[in-house]
Amino acid sequence: YGGRQDIVQAARRIAADARAGEIEPGAIDEDLLARYLWTMELPDPDLVIRTSGERRLSNFLLWQSAYAEFVYLETLWPDFSKGDFEDAIRQYQGRERRYGTSRG
C-alpha cells in the first residue's frame, strides 16, 4: 500500500468514469474521491500512532489521515506493548479535536 498510489489510482478511475459519462466533472468533490480510494469501506483514522521515533507519514494513509491526531513513540514496532498503546490513548484523550478548524 502507498498513499500516493492510492490517490493516483482513484484519480484515474474517476477520469475513466467521467470519460464514460458516468459522472460529471463538476460533481467531483472530496466525498466522491474518498469513494474511489482503496479504503473506501473504512472510516478515516482518528489516531495514528507512529513508532520508532519517526515523525513522518511514510506515504501511509495520506488522504485519510488529514484530520487524525498523531502520537509519536520512541518504541520500536516489535516492542510495542499494551502499555505503549494505553499511553497513546491517554495522549489522544487529552487532545482538543478541531477537525481543521481554528480556535475561535
Side-chain angles (χ1 to χ4, degrees):
Y1 171 85
R4 287 181 174 185
Q5 184 183 14
D6 192 5
I7 294 167
V8 167
Q9 70 78 31
R12 286 180 177 155
R13 290 177 47 218
I14 290 169
D17 285 352
R19 187 177 333 122
E22 296 176 23
I23 58 173
E24 289 291 324
I28 300 170
D29 60 11
E30 291 182 19
D31 291 331
L32 186 129
L33 191 139
R35 290 195 306 266
Y36 280 78
L37 296 172
W38 290 322
T39 57
M40 68 185 125
E41 295 179 3
L42 302 172
D44 289 345
D46 291 314
L47 173 63
V48 174
I49 301 170
R50 183 62 193 199
T51 59
S52 69
E54 297 292 342
R55 305 238 187 255
R56 56 189 166 84
L57 284 175
S58 300
N59 199 26
F60 180 70
L61 297 177
L62 297 177
W63 180 273
Q64 300 86 337
S65 62
Y67 294 110
E69 295 291 326
F70 288 80
V71 170
Y72 303 100
L73 301 174
E74 295 298 319
T75 306
L76 299 175
W77 175 246
D79 301 323
F80 188 80
S81 67
K82 180 180 176 183
D84 293 315
F85 181 69
E86 290 170 345
D87 180 47
I89 295 299
R90 275 191 294 278
Q91 288 185 49
Y92 172 78
Q93 288 174 328
R95 308 266 177 96
E96 177 186 342
R97 303 292 314 275
R98 295 191 309 268
Y99 302 97
T101 61
S102 62
R103 292 184 165 187

